[in-house]
Amino acid sequence: MKVIAIITDITERVKSQNALKELNVELEKKVDTRTQELEKSQKLYNLIARNFPRGIINVLDQYLNYVFTEGQELDRLGLNSESLIGKKYTERFDAELSEIISQKMSAVYRGEGISFEFEYINDFYVVNAVPLKSAEGNVEQILLIEKNITDSKLAEKEIIKNLEKERELNELKTRFVSMASHESVSYTHLTLPT
């Protein structure tokens, strides 16, 4: 009986496999660490957005549907961020305001940042919207910040009202001085000796 044996040294192959296993373990650790960092960052972003005072931070998709929404104003309006996700942003408003907002948002999808004000349920809001672009430069979403400016608007109206009263008072003073001056001139002509 004859036996033929072939011996192959697989030391290098085993070393390569072990090195590959070590790299996989190291890569898994890096992925876990990065995932934890991302989750921590996401929690921080949510916390910041959730506590955005007197306003709402929104991210909308190309159809103006909510992708993200948070802020203290949601609670004041009786809205829930979870229930809004996937719904159209403009559904919150009447038809006229919805149309105005939709038209303005079309400018953002063309790459422009915009700012405008609107009144909603006896409150005033300023909106700032900017495009969120992909790596290729395409506008994929909109960052839309709503800020309740009712206190400022009411103060502004009060200032305008007070300025109008002051203007009217100044006009009355001017007329009075003019009339008094005219009367003074008339009496002066009457009392002069001839």
Side-chain angles (χ1 to χ4, degrees):
M1 171 188 292
K2 292 183 180 179
V3 176
I4 298 178
I6 300 175
I7 299 174
T8 306
D9 185 5
I10 60 168
T11 305
E12 290 301 317
R13 187 182 332 159
V14 170
K15 285 182 183 178
S16 294
Q17 287 175 343
N18 288 337
L20 186 59
K21 285 179 186 178
E22 287 177 23
L23 284 174
N24 281 339
V25 168
E26 187 178 321
L27 183 59
E28 284 179 19
K29 286 180 184 177
K30 286 182 179 181
V31 167
D32 286 343
T33 301
R34 183 66 182 137
T35 300
Q36 289 173 0
E37 289 172 358
L38 287 172
E39 287 173 354
K40 188 176 176 182
S41 292
Q42 185 63 40
K43 286 178 185 176
L44 178 62
Y45 297 144
N46 285 340
L47 184 62
I48 291 168
R50 181 77 192 125
N51 291 294
F52 183 63
R54 304 261 315 155
I56 306 170
I57 299 173
N58 303 290
V59 176
L60 308 176
D61 67 14
Q62 60 191 5
Y63 304 107
L64 298 180
N65 295 322
Y66 287 100
V67 174
F68 174 87
T69 184
E70 277 295 350
Q72 290 180 354
E73 194 70 8
L74 287 173
D75 291 336
R76 205 183 70 69
L77 292 170
L79 299 171
N80 179 305
S81 60
E82 291 84 23
S83 67
L84 292 174
I85 302 301
K87 292 185 179 175
K88 195 167 183 87
Y89 172 74
T90 53
E91 286 179 9
R92 285 179 32 205
F93 311 109
D94 63 34
E96 182 180 343
L97 185 54
S98 292
E99 182 60 31
I100 291 168
I101 291 171
S102 294
Q103 288 174 0
K104 291 186 180 293
M105 291 301 117
S106 66
V108 181
Y109 279 108
R110 290 192 304 269
E112 302 171 30
I114 63 167
S115 182
F116 63 94
E117 294 179 8
F118 67 85
E119 185 176 358
Y120 174 65
I121 311 177
N122 299 319
D123 283 322
F124 296 91
Y125 294 87
V126 64
V127 171
N128 292 296
V130 293
L132 298 176
K133 297 181 179 181
S134 67
E136 295 80 31
N138 300 322
V139 177
E140 293 182 341
Q141 296 176 329
I142 291 176
L143 173 62
L144 186 141
I145 309 293
E146 294 174 71
K147 184 78 174 156
N148 186 321
I149 58 168
T150 303
D151 294 341
S152 299
K153 278 293 191 184
L154 294 176
E156 180 183 321
K157 284 182 177 185
E158 188 65 28
I159 289 170
I160 289 170
K161 185 172 119 182
N162 289 338
L163 286 173
E164 182 62 29
K165 284 181 181 179
E166 189 173 325
R167 186 184 64 75
E168 289 173 5
L169 185 59
N170 283 337
E171 285 179 14
L172 285 172
K173 286 180 186 177
T174 302
R175 280 191 259 159
F176 176 76
V177 169
S178 176
M179 284 176 29
S181 174
H182 181 71
E183 290 295 322
S184 168
V185 171
S186 296
Y187 288 124
T188 304
H189 288 295
L190 290 174
T191 58
L192 287 175
T194 53

